[in-house]
Amino acid sequence: MFSFEKEYDVIVVGSGHAGIEAALAACRLGCETLMLTQNLDTVGQMSCNPAIGGLAKGQLVREIDALGGAMGINADATGIQFRMLNRSKGPSVRAPRVQCDKKAYQFRLKAQLERQPGLEILQATVSRLLVEDESARGVETDIGISIRGRSVVITAGTFLRALLHVGELSKSGGRMADGSSGLTGDLLKLRFEVGRFKTGTPCRINRRSIDFSRCQVQLGDEPLPRFGFLPLPRENDNDLHTLNWTKNGKFHVEQLPCWITNTTSKTHEIISANLHRSPLYSGRIEGTGPRYCPSIEDKVVKFASRTEHHIFLEPEGRHTEEFYVNGISTSLPFDIQFAFLRTIPGLEKAQILRPGYAVEYDYFPPTQLAHTLETKRVPGLYFAGQINGTSGYEEAAAQGLMAGTNAALKVLNRAPYVLSRREAYIGVLIDDLVSQGTDEPYRLFTSRAENRLALRHDNADQRLTERGFQVGLVDSARWKQFSEKRSALQQLRDTTEKTRVDGEFISHLMKRADFSLSRLPSEIASLAPEDHWDLVVADAKSEGYIRRQAVNGDVSRYDEQAIPDQFDFARVNGLSREAREKLARHKPTSVGQALRMSGVTPADAAIMSIYLKQSRRE
Ligand SMILES: Cc1cc2nc3c(=O)[nH]c(=O)nc-3n(C[C@H](O)[C@H](O)[C@H](O)COP(=O)(O)OP(=O)(O)OC[C@H]3O[C@@H](n4cnc5c(N)ncnc54)[C@H](O)[C@@H]3O)c2cc1C
C-alpha cells in the first residue's frame, strides 16, 4: 500500500454535483482538500437532461449562488436557453431554468476545480474508508493508495453497486460507459442501513433526423433570467470554458430553440404490448423509481386513459447534433425503443445516438445523518447527494455545499452551519431528509416549504449572503456587491414609505394587485433600476400573506386535530397524489402525524386541516 505523506483536512469522494460544491466550499473555508473521482472526464456530468433549475430547483440554485457556490454561475456561463417558469404566477413560485451545453458545463467546472487554491484532484476509485477510534480518518483506493484525511465527504451518486438495464440485458455501471462502485460493502461493515432506488434516462437522437416542421418551437425568454447574483465576467476576463459573457455591459446569449411533440396512441400500443420485456415490469428491477420523473412505461400504465404525453426535444449543446428526448425515459429493449420512437410526430426517421436505460443503485437512508449531513454512526464522515436518496443535480449540489462546509467547520473546530426551514429551501430539503427519511427518490417542491411565500428565488441573496459571509463561504467581492445592493434597496423602501402619489404612499400602492411601475411619475420610477423595484414590490405584495401565514402556520395545533378511523383520503380535493397514496397506506391518526410523514407537505396538511374542520361543522 502506498501512503500519501500529506494529511488533508477534507477528502471528497466523487466529482458530481454534490462533490463539486462540497470540495469548493471546503476550500473557501481555507481547508486543504482532496477530491477523488472514478473518472476525471465526467466531472459535473449531467447524467440525464442537460438543464439546471426548474420549479423549486431553480430556487435551490439561487441559494447555492447566494452562498458563493458554483452551480448557478456555471449554468449561466454555459447556458443555451434561459427560461423563467411560472412567469405568469406569483413571484414565490417563479423559477429559472437553464438548458446548458452539456460538455461546456463539465469542462468549465473541471477547469474551475483544477484552478481552485487549496484543492487537489486525483482520478481514483475509493474502495475503503479508514476509521480510527470510530471516526473517519481517510480512504484507500482500489489501486492501493492510502490517504489520510481529518474528515471525509462521500458523494457517490448513482454508482453504489449500480446495475444498468436495457430490456433483458443488465450490466454493472453507475452510468452508461462508466463503472460501478463497491463502497457499499465497506459501509455495511460499519453497520449503515442501505436501500435500493432506480432511475432512468431516455434515448438521445441526431438532430439531422428530426422533422421539426411537425413539432412546436419553444424559445428562450428575453430578457434572460440568470441564476448568478454577480455579473458574469466580461469577454476575455479569464479563459475558463465560458460560452456566454457580459458584452457591452449586458449579458448576451445566442439562444437555441427547444421543440415540443407528443406520444401517440400507437406509441402507447407498442409500449403496452412489450411491457413484459421491460425490466421494470418483468420484476428484474427491485429499486423504487422517481415518482416525479416516471419512465414512459410507467406513464402508459399509470395514466392509461391519456392518449398522448408531451415530449420536449432539447439540444445537448452548441457543438453537437445530439438531442435529448425529454419525457420518454425507458429501460425497454433497443428494438422497442426504436419502434415506439418512430410513432412520434417529427421523429418518424429519428436516428438513435444513445439508447435509453435504467440504473439501480444503493442509497443510505438519510435518517442516519445529523442536520450537518455528518453520519451519526461515524463522526467525521459526511454523505451528500443522491447517496442520501434524493434525485436531481440541484438537490445534490445543495447538500454538497452544506456537507463540505460542515466537514470543514468541524476540522476547524468551529460551530456547524445549519439552515432552517424558514430561511431556505436548502433547510427544507435537509430537514425533510434527516427528519423523515424517504422511501422513494426525493425531489424538492415549493409545497414542501411552510414558508414558501418568503423563499423566493430573487431574494435568496437577501436571505443567505450575510450569514454566508460570516461563515466564510462568501468572498469579499460578493459581500461588497451585496452590501451595496442591500443599501440601495433599503433607500428605495424608505422612499416608497415617504413619497405619495395621487395622495397615497407608494408603499401602499405597491400592495395592490394591479400596481405597475408605469403608474409612478417617471422621475420616481427612474430612482432605481427595474430589478430593484421588482424586489421591493414583490416584498410589499407578499408582506400581508406572510404575516397571516405566520399566524396560521403554527403546526403544533395539528397534533390535536384527529383524523377519524376509516377516513377516506380520496374524498379530500387538492391533496397531492403522493400524499393521498401515503396517507391511505399509513393511516395517520392526527394531522400532526400526517405532516411528519415523508411525502406529505405542509400544503397537504393545511388542506387536510381545513377539510376536517369543514366536515365537523357540516
Ligand atoms: C441514467 C440516469 C438517469 C437519471 N435521471 C434523472 C432524472 O430524470 N431526474 C433527476 O432529477 N435526476 C436524474 N438522475 C440523477 C442525477 O444524475 C443525480 O441526481 C445527480 O447527478 C446526483 O449528483 P451526485 O453528485 O450525488 O452524484 P453523481 O452526479 O452521480 O456523481 C457521483 C460521483 O461519484 C463518483 N464516484 C462514485 N463512487 C466512487 C468511488 N468509490 N470512488 C471515487 N469516485 C466515486 C463518480 O465517478 C461521480 O463522479 C439520473 C441519473 C442517471 C445515472
Side-chain angles (χ1 to χ4, degrees), residues 14-18 37-38 47-48 124 126 155 157 181 199-200 293 357 385-386 392 396:
S15 65
H17 309 278
T37 178
Q38 279 185 317
S47 312
C48 202
V126 171
T155 67
S181 160
T199 187
C293 247
Y357 63 95
Q386 193 115 353

Side-chain angles (χ1 to χ4, degrees), residues 413-488:
N413 284 322
R414 290 179 51 197
Y417 180 41
V418 172
L419 288 163
S420 73
R421 299 182 71 92
R422 295 205 65 74
E423 64 190 320
Y425 275 103
I426 299 178
V428 174
L429 163 74
I430 293 178
D431 185 55
D432 276 355
L433 291 173
V434 307
S435 309
Q436 303 183 347
T438 184
D439 53 9
E440 60 184 50
Y442 175 100
R443 187 219 191 276
L444 190 67
F445 287 104
T446 52
S447 57
R448 298 200 196 266
E450 297 78 356
N451 199 23
R452 59 191 164 280
L453 289 176
L455 303 183
R456 302 195 316 259
H457 78 86
D458 60 3
N459 66 8
D461 56 343
Q462 296 179 66
R463 293 184 274 117
L464 300 175
T465 296
E466 180 165 13
R467 260 186 91 193
F469 180 65
Q470 288 158 358
V471 172
L473 286 170
V474 165
D475 65 15
S476 52
R478 182 182 288 269
W479 174 243
K480 180 169 177 289
Q481 186 262 4
F482 169 72
S483 305
E484 284 165 9
K485 174 178 167 186
R486 190 167 58 175
S487 308

Side-chain angles (χ1 to χ4, degrees), residues 227-445:
F227 285 120
F229 286 102
L230 291 183
L232 266 186
R234 286 184 309 259
E235 201 166 13
N236 306 327
D237 263 5
N238 69 23
D239 58 346
L240 282 181
H241 297 263
T242 299
L243 294 180
N244 308 322
W245 305 90
T246 302
K247 285 182 188 163
N248 306 324
K250 271 189 82 181
F251 177 53
H252 174 81
V253 182
E254 299 288 332
Q255 298 203 67
L256 297 184
C258 294
W259 302 85
I260 304 175
T261 178
N262 51 268
T263 56
T264 59
S265 48
K266 185 74 193 151
T267 324
H268 298 194
E269 247 172 59
I270 295 176
I271 292 169
S272 301
N274 288 283
L275 281 177
H276 60 287
R277 297 185 63 197
S278 160
L280 260 183
Y281 283 87
S282 63
R284 276 197 306 114
I285 290 185
E286 291 164 8
T288 311
R291 178 186 295 269
Y292 299 103
C293 247
S295 63
I296 188 67
E297 296 94 294
D298 263 346
K299 287 197 239 182
V300 166
V301 172
K302 289 189 181 148
F303 308 100
S305 58
R306 287 187 57 176
T307 52
E308 59 175 63
H309 292 282
H310 269 322
I311 291 176
F312 298 87
L313 304 175
E314 302 171 341
E316 293 244 339
R318 251 185 226 294
H319 309 289
T320 174
E321 301 298 305
E322 199 164 339
F323 258 67
Y324 176 86
V325 191
N326 191 343
I328 54 162
S329 162
T330 185
S331 54
L332 280 161
F334 184 80
D335 55 317
I336 307 302
Q337 293 188 31
F338 186 86
F340 81 65
L341 194 66
R342 292 181 165 220
T343 62
I344 294 170
L347 306 187
E348 293 85 351
K349 295 187 177 156
Q351 287 166 14
I352 295 180
L353 289 172
R354 303 176 204 240
Y357 63 95
V359 56
E360 261 187 299
Y361 55 92
D362 290 339
Y363 79 101
F364 289 84
T367 41
Q368 302 173 94
L369 304 172
H371 278 81
T372 54
L373 298 181
E374 185 175 22
T375 63
K376 293 175 188 164
R377 211 167 272 291
V378 181
L381 177 65
Y382 296 75
F383 288 167
Q386 193 115 353
I387 187 175
N388 289 338
T390 53
S391 76
Y393 316 134
E394 304 79 1
E395 285 88 345
Q399 293 170 66
L401 173 73
M402 298 311 286
T405 300
N406 280 302
L409 290 171
K410 179 160 184 167
V411 166
L412 299 168
N413 284 322
R414 290 179 51 197
Y417 180 41
V418 172
L419 288 163
S420 73
R421 299 182 71 92
R422 295 205 65 74
E423 64 190 320
Y425 275 103
I426 299 178
V428 174
L429 163 74
I430 293 178
D431 185 55
D432 276 355
L433 291 173
V434 307
S435 309
Q436 303 183 347
T438 184
D439 53 9
E440 60 184 50
Y442 175 100
R443 187 219 191 276
L444 190 67
F445 287 104

Side-chain angles (χ1 to χ4, degrees), residues 143-163:
I143 54 160
I145 309 173
S146 169
I147 310 168
R148 295 185 70 77
R150 297 168 69 197
S151 65
V152 177
V153 184
I154 300 186
T155 67
T158 53
F159 287 76
L160 297 169
R161 281 200 304 203
L163 207 52

